[in-house]
Amino acid sequence: MKKSAVVFAGYFPTPFSVQVGKEFIDYFSAHFSDCHFYVGLNQAECNEQFVTLLAQSGLSYELRIAPAELTLNSDASAYQAALAQLRDSCRTDFDYVYLFHSKGATNVESKKLRDHFLPRFANRSHVEAVLDMDRIGSYSLFLSKSKLRFEDQLSGYFPFERPYFFTYLYFHTIYAFRAQPVLDFVYGCKAEFFRTNLKDRYFFERDFPHAIWRQGYAPFGDFIVNWNDGFPAGEVDLNSDIAVYLGRPLDFRIR
């Protein structure tokens, strides 16, 4: 039987954010209870309440809190802490790695996005069938294309075989990977990756998926979004029919 890991990044500064965290715990218990979890938390006032709920859930997990000097006001440093915990676990027996973060914990409006993303990822047979396709390495709901050219943030940490693909990102930072390229990066990158303040709250939205693509794997998105041309993903009315705005599902492959 194939195995999955879940990397979860959390930020819980308020009682409301803990309620969002509880929604994620319930979701994971319903749809990912067979998985092992690597949980990273930013330093925050209500972490203890969230950890208590997590301990009561029965989920299998390891947890790490991001050091103060690395903590950002986003999911980035919490993802970094969770991946550091994965590295220290030395496990290599996973087939898929899912990445989630506490979307909506600090922004009530993000509930609309959460309500669209989470049902998609609950359909794990669909996600994993995509990841089993030849050379596909990643899956998310929105594969976004931007006209902007971002700086390469990854080459200093890992000897990639392909150049940086400047214009693509996974909008909203919830996605799944074929495990092998993730593990190759996590265990093969320089230790500085886990010790450096990333200084960019969008690192895992914009940069981290390239760690998989630059190893020769292609991304898959159910929908492709021209981020700053026509319908910016952040302005899509998610209460409407997504297909009207974003077009047909697209298997996008880097050649």
Side-chain angles (χ1 to χ4, degrees), residues 14 87 142 202 204:
T14 64
R87 179 182 172 107
F142 297 137
Y202 300 109
F204 278 85

Side-chain angles (χ1 to χ4, degrees), residues 3-123:
K3 296 181 180 180
S4 296
V6 175
V7 173
F8 179 69
Y11 180 44
F12 302 107
T14 64
F16 170 79
S17 66
V18 175
Q19 289 303 310
V20 173
K22 176 64 163 56
E23 290 182 27
F24 273 95
I25 290 172
D26 292 343
Y27 171 80
F28 293 144
S29 296
H31 302 291
F32 291 85
S33 61
D34 60 307
C35 301
H36 188 68
F37 287 74
Y38 296 93
V39 178
L41 301 180
N42 284 339
Q43 297 200 9
E45 293 182 4
C46 295
N47 278 350
E48 184 176 350
Q49 292 94 311
F50 173 78
V51 172
T52 297
L53 294 172
L54 183 62
Q56 294 170 348
S57 70
L59 296 172
S60 172
Y61 71 92
E62 301 172 37
L63 183 145
R64 179 172 299 196
I65 296 177
E69 65 272 18
L70 302 186
T71 297
L72 302 174
N73 63 339
S74 80
D75 55 72
S77 44
Y79 270 132
Q80 189 180 23
L83 289 172
Q85 189 63 40
L86 170 59
R87 179 182 172 107
D88 286 352
S89 76
C90 299
R91 286 190 62 173
T92 60
D93 57 332
F94 298 116
D95 299 284
Y96 313 104
V97 178
Y98 291 79
L99 279 79
F100 294 92
H101 68 102
S102 52
K103 190 75 175 176
T106 58
N107 182 354
V108 176
E109 291 301 312
S110 291
K111 185 180 187 306
K112 291 186 293 185
L113 289 167
R114 197 164 69 242
D115 289 346
H116 279 275
F117 271 85
L118 297 189
R120 290 272 180 168
F121 282 85
N123 185 2

